[in-house]
């Protein structure tokens, strides 16, 4: 526990990258982490295969997880590890629904475009339907990805306003567009292995990912229902 699922039926919004960066931060903090790769394209399984020696010992990557195996995989991992992160395919399918049904938090990564926002809204509706169907609270939060720290387009500001008006929570920490985040997927290994000679400013990416991890944990604590049914 907790189980954190990364969902947005829009492809290429940073689900796998954000899941991987957070998994690396949690593992660095000595927590046991399971990273479940439930995307048939297997981006995280490929990451793991690239450089197995540089996978932290307390980070397990489960490949080839399908709609048949995802619920048991999540439950087994959650019984063992303090963090279970589930990377999902960029489409709405049964495995996505099952993962949302088991999640303590659904992270909805999105870039600041209308297309991403439309798909994010669909995922959020799915989360709300599942919460109703299972009669439980399923917290979710949007994380902006691939952002530019300096610039925010008019479209992006508009989307931000719409989310706020609709009461959709957005984490204050974003995943800024950084070469280091691309590099971990391409080169294997972790953010902590990257050298200044390989990629520009890996330290800034580490600080970004660590701040995001902190914000995610704080959000989970805020939203976890207490035993008397209220929110803690
Ligand atoms: N914060 C970031 N900084 C730089 N590049 C990023 C960042 N996040 C994602 N990318 C890049 O954007 C592309 C898509 O990212 P990623 O594969 O994580 O998205 P996804 O939502 O998992 O896609 P899919 O739906 O296909 O699974 C990749 O090339 C990745 O390197
Ligand atoms: Mg992906």
């Amino acid at each position: 526990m907790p189980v954190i699922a990364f969902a947005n039926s829009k492809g290429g919004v940073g689900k796998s990258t954000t899941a991987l960066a957070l998994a690396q931060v949690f593992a660095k903090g000595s927590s046991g982490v399971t990273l479940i790769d439930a995307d048939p394209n297997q981006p995280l399984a490929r990451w793991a295969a690239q450089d197995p020696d540089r996978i932290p010992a307390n980070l397990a990557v489960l490949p080839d997880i399908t709609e048949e195996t995802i619920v048991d995989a999540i439950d087994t991992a959650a019984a063992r590890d303090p963090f279970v992160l589930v990377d999902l395919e960029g489409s709405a399918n049964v495995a996505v629904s099952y993962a949302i049904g088991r999640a303590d938090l659904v992270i909805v990564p999105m870039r600041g475009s209308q297309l991403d926002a439309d798909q994010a809204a669909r995922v959020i509706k799915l989360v709300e339907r599942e919460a109703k169907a299972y009669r439980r609270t399923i917290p979710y939060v949007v994380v902006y990805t691939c952002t530019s720290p300096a610039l925010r387009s008019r479209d992006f500001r508009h989307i931000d306003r719409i989310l706020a008006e609709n009461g959709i929570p957005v984490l204050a920490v974003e995943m800024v567009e950084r070469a280091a985040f691309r590099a971990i997927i391409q080169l294997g290994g972790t953010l902590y292995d990257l050298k200044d000679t390989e990629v520009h400013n890996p330290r800034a990416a580490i600080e970004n990912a660590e701040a995001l991890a902190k914000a995610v944990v704080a959000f989970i604590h805020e939203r976890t229902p207490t035993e008397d049914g209220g929110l803690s």
Side-chain angles (χ1 to χ4, degrees):
M1 294 281 258
V3 175
I4 305 171
F6 295 77
N8 188 336
S9 41
K10 174 86 165 36
V13 295
K15 295 179 289 293
S16 305
T17 305
T18 307
L20 181 59
L22 284 180
Q24 295 181 355
V25 173
F26 292 138
K28 181 75 172 176
S30 323
S31 293
V33 182
T34 298
L35 197 45
I36 293 181
D37 191 342
D39 180 344
N41 294 317
Q42 295 286 281
L44 299 183
R46 265 187 281 123
W47 167 79
Q50 240 169 347
D51 198 343
D53 293 343
R54 284 198 294 172
I55 302 174
N58 55 338
L59 171 57
V61 180
L62 297 189
D64 299 323
I65 299 300
T66 64
E67 67 184 58
E68 283 88 29
T69 55
I70 193 161
V71 173
D72 286 339
I74 290 173
D75 288 355
T76 306
R80 184 189 55 225
D81 279 334
F83 289 98
V84 179
L85 279 61
V86 189
D87 183 35
L88 295 161
E89 189 181 3
S91 68
N93 60 27
V94 176
V96 172
S97 297
Y98 285 161
I100 289 171
R102 302 313 270 175
D104 298 295
L105 176 65
V106 178
I107 290 184
V108 183
M110 60 172 271
R111 300 182 189 223
S113 79
Q114 192 59 50
L115 262 182
D116 285 28
D118 291 345
Q119 293 303 317
R122 290 182 57 181
V123 173
I124 287 167
K125 286 207 176 95
L126 175 62
V127 174
E128 288 173 343
R129 278 201 304 280
E130 290 206 38
K132 214 184 251 179
Y134 298 138
R135 291 203 179 94
R136 73 176 195 92
T137 306
I138 307 177
Y140 61 83
V141 68
V142 166
V143 171
Y144 290 135
T145 59
C146 288
T147 58
S148 153
L151 283 177
R152 180 139 299 184
S153 67
R154 223 170 65 180
D155 275 6
F156 198 157
R157 289 199 306 272
H158 174 70
I159 288 164
D160 202 28
R161 214 167 36 242
I162 301 281
L163 294 183
E165 281 168 14
N166 285 285
I168 293 171
V170 179
L171 272 195
V173 183
E174 305 171 357
M175 280 284 279
V176 173
E177 170 140 43
R178 288 191 185 283
F181 292 135
R182 270 193 303 276
I184 46 168
I185 296 254
Q186 279 163 8
L187 306 175
T190 75
L191 288 168
Y192 299 94
D193 302 320
L194 288 172
K195 311 226 166 13
D196 285 319
T197 46
E198 281 175 317
V199 63
H200 177 68
N201 203 354
R203 190 67 236 163
I206 289 170
E207 281 166 12
N208 185 167
E210 289 181 347
L212 183 67
K214 232 181 188 171
V216 166
V217 169
F219 189 88
I220 290 171
H221 284 312
E222 267 168 38
R223 300 296 169 114
T224 302
T226 56
E227 305 232 314
D228 63 6
L231 293 177
S232 62

